[in-house]
Amino acid sequence: MRVLPEIDGRDEFAASVIRTDYCDGASWQEAVRELTQPWGEQGQFEAHVHLIDDPVWAEPHPM
C-alpha cells in the first residue's frame, strides 16, 4: 500500500484540491485561476483553497 504525506499548513475551512494528473499543465493552470478568483455578486469574498501540486500525489500508472 502506498503511503502519502500528510497535508498540513492549511486553513481547516479551506477546500483542498489535489492535483493527481500531470498530463495537461494548461488545464491545471486554468483550474487554479478559476478556483482562486474572488466570489460573490461583486467578488467581495476571498477564495479559501489549499492547492496541492506535488507529483507524489499523482495516480500510479500500471506497469
Side-chain angles (χ1 to χ4, degrees), residues 1-46:
M1 183 162 99
R2 190 167 74 140
V3 177
L4 296 171
E6 276 193 50
I7 298 172
D8 57 353
R10 73 173 188 90
D11 177 342
E12 67 180 304
F13 298 107
S16 292
V17 179
I18 303 172
R19 182 178 183 182
T20 60
D21 187 318
Y22 285 80
C23 295
D24 188 350
S27 291
W28 171 251
Q29 291 305 316
E30 178 62 26
V32 168
R33 271 191 297 282
E34 292 295 323
L35 289 167
T36 57
Q37 291 294 313
W39 61 279
E41 288 184 25
Q42 297 161 347
Q44 69 268 36
F45 301 111
E46 180 182 342

Side-chain angles (χ1 to χ4, degrees), residues 38-62:
W39 61 279
E41 288 184 25
Q42 297 161 347
Q44 69 268 36
F45 301 111
E46 180 182 342
H48 292 284
V49 180
H50 184 74
L51 301 168
I52 301 161
D53 185 0
D54 185 335
V56 74
W57 290 91
E59 287 185 30
H61 296 284

